[in-house]
Amino acid sequence: MTNSSYIMGVDIGTSSTKAVLFNEQGEVIHREAIHYDLVTDETGKAEESPTEIFEAVITSIRHVMSKINKADLRGISFSSAMHSLIAAKSNGELLTECITWADGRSSEALENVKRDNYLFQLYEATGTPIHPMSPFAKICWLKETEPELFNRTEKFIDIKAYILYRFFGVWVMDESLASGTGLYNILEHDWEFEAMEIVKLTPDFFPKVVPETYQLTGMKAKYVEFMGIPDDVPLIVGGSDGALANIGIQATGRNDVTITVGTSGAVRKLTNEFQVDSRGRTFCYGAGDGYFIAGGAVNNGGKVVEWGLEQFGSESEIANRDFASFIARIDEVNPGAAGLLFQPYLLGERAPFWTNDIRGGFVGLTINHTNAHFIRAILEGIAFNLAEVYEAVSAPDDIIYVTGGISAHEPWCRLLADILNREIRVPHTIEGSSLGAAIIGMRSLGILKDLNLQKTLPIKAIYHPSENVEKYAELRLIFTQVSTQLMSSYSQLNSWQKKFENNS
């Protein structure tokens, strides 16, 4: 691979698709992003149009290709958001939209399945928490509530499988995405028998599971022409966005942990061993090349910061969406926000609780608390929750890499270093998943011998814990106690809301 030949990483996300062109050093050459809508409503629906996403994929690739000589492209590799589900016919006819990880309509159906089955052993076998986000739960829901549609379905697929079928006419799914369905046993490299028994399906209803480095060639001519790519360029199936984000920022050491806060958030750690949590707090999925990715995803990240801006930001901050100014105001008050705690669960929660019943709230409020206290409490609450997730995969010598939009803000990074009592590093790139896909692509093409780039990429900033560690350690214990003690009250409030508010 020379300096004038490239590989493209395409990241199919929940809010946009990004096509990013890299050289072999992992440096960005060109980038194109196309956004689309997530359709939600009060029932818990969170769907997207598969055809709209497909158009975003081919259009973003076309825009990048217009800037280079197509002969310089060595391959295209894919990253995709996890836990999506589409019901389809074998010929690609769509029977549903793309039901995303954020869709919560399967909650009641999953509870019904729990009453009849001991599902913790399913978590132990698949590494996927028992939660409405999983395709397993979504299939249970469709089976219970849409039996006619369920019976008409010939393929249950994810969004990447749909896109690759449009390109090549074959149904394939990478193993890292399969391992997040709640239906696949990553250690056996096969669909999990118990899960299949519950949903009453056979492996024929799912795409063929292939390695992340699997190559496809022979794309339909109309798409080759539209995107302006070489006829024979290989498409590498790639992996899931979470695992590839770790690979992309080169957090591949045994003590490297990433904490991402975008719209939602996640704690992830690459490991050579499949490991599940005795308390069910974390996931463990395949990552490719013999790695697993352990950690937990949280619902309440940047979206909660955005809510905080709308409630407590100044007129100027709100009008200009000035998150930098808003977050900087936490330095106006002392760490701990004068005893004001924030339960950040405005969107229910995945890790570490895996329940949609939990709710948000401020605890310890007095007449002396100001806007700055509320802002600091919001940021601290998000960080305390991430610390609960991190505890399940933590080791004393861990180094934390922070990514996502909030990582650009120094006050957040300092706060996180103190709450976790760990060194915090801000990596070189915001294109973690697309670069991770490109690295998998280079591994597949023989350009790299493992998942590490040949050149070490620079770190933008490093933050160390301060004298606030002890103060935060005591406050986190109170935060955890509050979360536990209020859980039954949250559940009762949720029932009340369903009874009186959702029907009004």
Side-chain angles (χ1 to χ4, degrees), residues 310-368:
E310 293 168 355
Q311 310 307 317
F312 302 105
S314 67
E315 288 186 14
S316 173
E317 288 166 347
I318 296 170
N320 298 309
R321 294 182 63 79
D322 187 352
F323 287 96
S325 172
F326 176 74
I327 291 172
R329 288 169 62 193
I330 72 171
D331 287 334
E332 296 175 12
V333 296
N334 291 328
L340 181 63
L341 282 173
F342 178 60
Q343 296 273 283
Y345 311 114
L346 307 188
L347 299 165
E349 194 50 286
R350 287 180 285 171
F353 302 105
W354 303 102
T355 175
N356 286 340
D357 282 350
I358 195 168
R359 292 291 182 265
F362 289 97
V363 178
L365 178 63
T366 74
I367 200 169
N368 298 314

Side-chain angles (χ1 to χ4, degrees), residues 411-486:
W412 163 256
C413 296
R414 286 190 277 105
L415 182 154
L416 200 60
D418 287 340
I419 287 177
L420 298 179
N421 192 20
R422 294 290 187 272
E423 179 182 302
I424 297 291
R425 295 183 179 181
V426 181
H428 68 289
T429 181
I430 61 170
E431 305 295 355
S433 295
S434 51
L435 178 53
I439 290 170
I440 288 285
M442 288 190 277
R443 178 82 171 92
S444 173
L445 294 167
I447 297 164
L448 296 176
K449 67 180 187 300
D450 53 30
L451 299 182
N452 296 306
L453 291 167
Q454 296 169 1
K455 176 183 175 184
T456 302
L457 296 166
I459 298 297
K460 289 173 63 175
I462 297 177
Y463 300 89
H464 297 281
S466 74
E467 68 279 0
N468 297 317
V469 166
E470 183 179 354
K471 178 185 291 188
Y472 274 132
E474 291 189 19
L475 192 59
R476 185 185 152 204
L477 292 175
I478 302 171
F479 173 90
T480 303
Q481 183 183 59
V482 168
S483 302
T484 303
Q485 291 179 342
L486 287 180

